[in-house]
Amino acid sequence: MLSGAKLRKRQRAGARVGTRGWESMNAHWWQTAVIYQIYPRSFQDGDGDGVGDLRGIMRRLPHLVELGVDALWLSPIFRSPMADFGYDVADYTAIDPLFGTLDDFDALAHAAHALGLKIILDLVPNHTSDQHPWFIESRASRDNPKRDWYIWRDGAADGGPPNNWQSDFGGSAWQRDDATGQYYYHAFLSAQPDLNWRKADVRAAIYDAMRFWMRRGVDGFRVDVIWHLIKDAEFRDNPPNPDFRPDRPSHEAVLPLYTTDRPEVHDIIKEMRAVTDEFPERLLIGEIYLPIERLMAYYGRDLDGLHLPFNFALISAPWNARGLATLIGEYEKALPPGGWPNWVLGNHDRPRITSRAGADQAGVAAMLLLTLRGTPTIYYGDEIGMEQVPIAREQVRDPLERNVPGIGVGRDGCRTPMQWEEAPNAGFSISDPWLPLDDAHPMRNVAVQREDKASIYNLYRRLIALRRAHRALNSGTYRSVAADGDLLLFIREYEHERMLVALNLGDEPAQVSFPGHPLTGRLVLSTFGDRTGEPLDGDVALRGNEGAIFALSGDSHVP
Ligand code: GLC
């Protein structure tokens, strides 16, 4: 037994779970949880205007219970002119009328909690809307008290932008404002001016907004573009990118050396974490697109940073077994002691996994996500294998596609309405939805798949249930097992329980044997829904596009 003081110290540091497995600790809820991302505009319309809302989400909570997830993360629901569909906030403590009211939010949070579901909000602290009262004040005059809440600079000697910093959404990141003749910085749209995070008042204002929501019972935040918060104090030019390809967005022509991932950002995150820790068991997740070795710093020096720096390694990786095996190994190895892993297959900014890996691989992808060590996040609709929906030019809504058209960066295709049942608009809305539905919706929807034992939906449900039931899967160690070709093999282990996960990323049957060490056990779950209970006696054999989980018997020795 640990003494009270020691136990508290360990709890503060986050449960020590490393590759050695649990050390008789109770997990934080978010370590064994499965998180589900909802894009509120597209989940369920409750008031018939073609756009999803809070009452709609409330109506669909039973779906989340049936699926078996533990927490829902809502993309932004705050008051916003919707230039970037809510990622341009005009009031951090008000619900946008499109989504409902604060009462609707309280009702949703209450209903979610009553069902045992946690609720995570999207915090967008890097920038506000240009309609936020703070920015309206800031741009009013050079001596306005809120002037330095944003990043204002004089133009260069020739009158052009202050330096070469580029917007992720196309063109210079500097917008000249006629009222005062200076430029303000915006990493995204010009309607999304960046806040000045070096300013203590700015930090305090955002921290107060966090407290506002935590007092209302919110269980955590996913923090938008957190690696962007601090920019170079000297405003140095970004260096050219030697690997730039002209078919890529223009901002990639320079490397974001002075605009993102600055060392000082970690002090800010530590503060944000301290605010989170003012309330018990709240979760802090950060959106970060960085290589694995840079990502790890976001756990904080003493795990006092983010609980979960989002791990997007699987989002951009080519879908092949050898590459994925290497990447998983590198991520596991790079984790700081006690740092809890997490995995993501899709989100509202990236093409759907079913389209990236191929529909035949959707089950294998699901099995991978839900058997790796660490907290998985499921993007809404992936549980029914929703595909990327083609968007005609006149249907484009995404400001990124509008600004940087035709090179495949548009995000509308992964944000289309959830497909619930065979009904007008798939049961999403009684009106025309804001984005087109997938033509496949009469067949590919929750209601149809619920009745089909072999559906991807039922596979997700089984995987989540299995993960919950087995410590080996939700808390155990991870060990890779050598394999060739299209096979990806690993073992999850907790005390006497060992599970072998075998995934075939190709469409040909594949077999692996362990000469001298025949494996014994039984098959617990195949992605095809059959074979359950089949004995394992020697070789592991998979059909094309099959994944399988085997419970190994005690005497199996895996080299
Ligand atoms: C994040 C969001 C994305 C948004 C951008 C600017 O990357 O996920 O949807 O456009 O930040 O706020």
Side-chain angles (χ1 to χ4, degrees):
M1 277 288 284
L2 289 168
S3 73
K6 265 193 187 152
L7 184 68
R8 276 193 300 279
K9 196 170 163 218
R10 298 242 313 241
Q11 277 169 340
R12 268 201 308 276
R16 303 278 170 193
V17 217
T19 45
R20 281 161 292 126
W22 292 100
E23 291 174 357
S24 64
M25 287 290 302
N26 287 325
H28 295 291
W29 66 266
W30 45 266
Q31 291 179 299
T32 49
V34 176
I35 300 174
Y36 184 89
Q37 181 189 356
I38 290 178
Y39 194 67
R41 296 180 68 89
S42 299
F43 201 57
Q44 177 65 53
D45 179 11
D47 62 4
D49 63 358
V51 179
D53 48 41
L54 295 180
R55 274 196 282 156
I57 294 170
M58 180 133 146
R59 199 184 116 201
R60 294 296 186 180
L61 287 180
H63 169 69
L64 304 188
V65 174
E66 182 175 88
L67 181 58
V69 299
D70 304 274
L72 51 137
W73 148 34
L74 302 178
S75 280
I77 50 173
F78 314 109
R79 189 183 289 278
S80 164
M82 302 289 164
D84 191 18
F85 297 120
Y87 285 96
D88 48 324
V89 177
D91 184 342
Y92 285 97
T93 56
I95 303 291
D96 194 274
L98 188 67
F99 295 125
T101 63
L102 208 47
D103 283 344
D104 292 333
F105 176 79
D106 288 341
L108 173 64
H110 185 78
H113 285 150
L115 292 169
L117 295 165
K118 307 277 187 191
I119 185 156
I120 299 168
L121 291 188
D122 212 311
L123 181 74
V124 191
N126 179 69
H127 43 268
T128 68
S129 161
D130 62 351
Q131 302 305 308
H132 196 294
W134 300 341
F135 188 70
I136 292 175
E137 278 196 53
S138 182
R139 82 190 319 177
S141 70
R142 289 192 186 206
D143 54 9
N144 186 281
K146 293 232 164 38
R147 185 65 169 180
D148 59 355
W149 279 43
Y150 293 82
I151 301 170
W152 291 97
R153 303 286 287 168
D154 288 331
D158 65 358
N163 64 21
N164 75 349
W165 293 358
Q166 298 292 302
S167 158
D168 278 21
F169 286 0
S172 169
W174 295 100
Q175 175 70 36
R176 188 174 185 281
D177 199 42
D178 286 339
T180 56
Q182 282 192 310
Y183 286 81
Y184 65 86
Y185 176 72
H186 58 92
F188 300 94
L189 296 174
S190 59
Q192 293 168 295
D194 278 46
L195 281 164
N196 175 10
W197 270 80
R198 294 181 188 273
K199 177 90 182 159
D201 293 353
V202 167
R203 304 205 293 271
I206 297 288
Y207 301 156
D208 277 349
M210 292 171 71
R211 293 186 184 100
F212 173 90
W213 292 110
M214 287 192 283
R215 270 187 226 111
R216 289 196 114 79
V218 161
D219 300 287
F221 300 99
R222 171 269 191 192
V223 186
D224 192 59
V225 295
I226 199 164
W227 84 114
H228 275 255
L229 287 182
I230 289 282
K231 297 62 156 142
D232 182 39
E234 294 171 43
F235 295 90
R236 283 170 280 189
D237 269 349
N238 275 326
N241 174 5
D243 301 322
F244 177 63
R245 297 198 326 255
D247 60 339
R248 295 290 305 159
S250 61
H251 74 272
E252 293 183 8
V254 290
L255 296 169
L257 182 66
Y258 293 116
T259 38
T260 62
D261 195 28
R262 301 304 302 159
E264 304 98 305
V265 77
H266 298 294
D267 300 331
I268 305 278
I269 295 174
K270 197 172 160 181
E271 274 184 12
M272 212 176 250
R273 168 66 181 274
V275 174
T276 311
D277 286 349
E278 289 169 15
F279 296 76
E281 280 295 304
R282 300 309 204 265
L283 168 63
L284 199 60
I285 309 174
E287 183 204 22
I288 302 155
Y289 286 91
L290 283 176
I292 285 172
E293 68 279 7
R294 308 274 327 161
L295 182 67
M296 294 305 161
Y298 287 76
Y299 281 98
R301 202 181 289 276
D302 300 307
L303 297 185
D304 51 6
L306 296 168
H307 293 114
L308 301 177
F310 257 150
N311 165 18
F312 294 132
L314 294 177
I315 269 194
S316 19
W319 200 252
N320 71 69
R322 300 282 58 78
L324 291 183
T326 305
L327 172 160
I328 296 163
E330 282 172 3
Y331 178 77
E332 277 279 348
K333 195 157 157 255
L335 283 164
W340 185 247
N342 75 89
W343 298 95
V344 183
L345 278 182
N347 62 30
H348 63 293
D349 294 326
R350 298 293 152 123
R352 291 232 177 229
I353 180 65
T354 310
S355 305
R356 275 190 293 122
D360 292 341
Q361 279 287 307
V364 171
M367 189 170 274
L368 178 67
L369 176 70
L370 290 159
T371 56
L372 281 172
R373 190 175 80 92
T375 306
T377 299
I378 299 172
Y379 183 49
Y380 87 94
D382 282 354
E383 75 273 31
I384 53 167
M386 272 174 67
E387 301 236 25
Q388 199 64 9
V389 176
I391 305 290
R393 198 179 317 169
E394 62 280 4
Q395 295 171 322
V396 170
R397 305 293 301 269
D398 178 16
L400 176 55
E401 177 66 22
R402 287 189 174 167
N403 282 9
V404 188
I407 58 168
V409 293
R411 302 170 297 177
D412 291 325
C414 68
R415 297 175 173 179
T416 59
M418 181 66 180
Q419 298 153 206
W420 293 107
E421 59 226 3
E422 198 182 346
N425 302 319
F428 165 72
S429 176
I430 52 167
S431 307
D432 284 348
W434 74 289
L435 278 175
L437 276 149
D438 189 343
D439 290 342
H441 74 80
M443 286 312 299
R444 191 179 297 136
N445 63 55
V446 176
V448 164
Q449 292 196 9
R450 183 183 293 121
E451 304 308 319
D452 172 5
K453 264 187 70 179
S455 69
I456 180 95
Y457 180 54
N458 281 321
L459 174 64
Y460 264 92
R461 290 173 66 189
R462 285 196 196 102
L463 280 166
I464 294 170
L466 202 64
R467 188 182 169 91
R468 186 185 305 285
H470 292 274
R471 298 287 293 221
L473 293 178
N474 65 44
S475 319
T477 56
Y478 164 90
R479 179 154 73 89
S480 73
V481 176
D484 295 323
D486 289 327
L487 282 179
L488 179 59
L489 301 186
F490 55 89
I491 289 186
R492 303 292 316 280
E493 179 168 359
Y494 180 82
E495 292 179 350
H496 300 301
E497 184 176 51
R498 272 188 307 162
M499 302 193 112
L500 172 73
V501 180
L503 305 171
N504 184 355
L505 276 75
D507 50 16
E508 295 295 321
Q511 190 155 342
V512 58
S513 45
F514 300 93
H517 306 285
L519 294 183
T520 56
R522 67 186 176 82
L523 191 145
V524 185
L525 180 62
S526 158
T527 49
F528 293 136
D530 52 8
R531 294 180 68 189
T532 305
E534 245 183 43
L536 169 67
D537 196 4
D539 297 352
V540 172
L542 296 175
R543 292 165 281 180
N545 298 309
E546 182 176 29
I549 304 174
F550 299 90
L552 297 180
S553 56
D555 51 0
S556 287
H557 171 80
V558 187

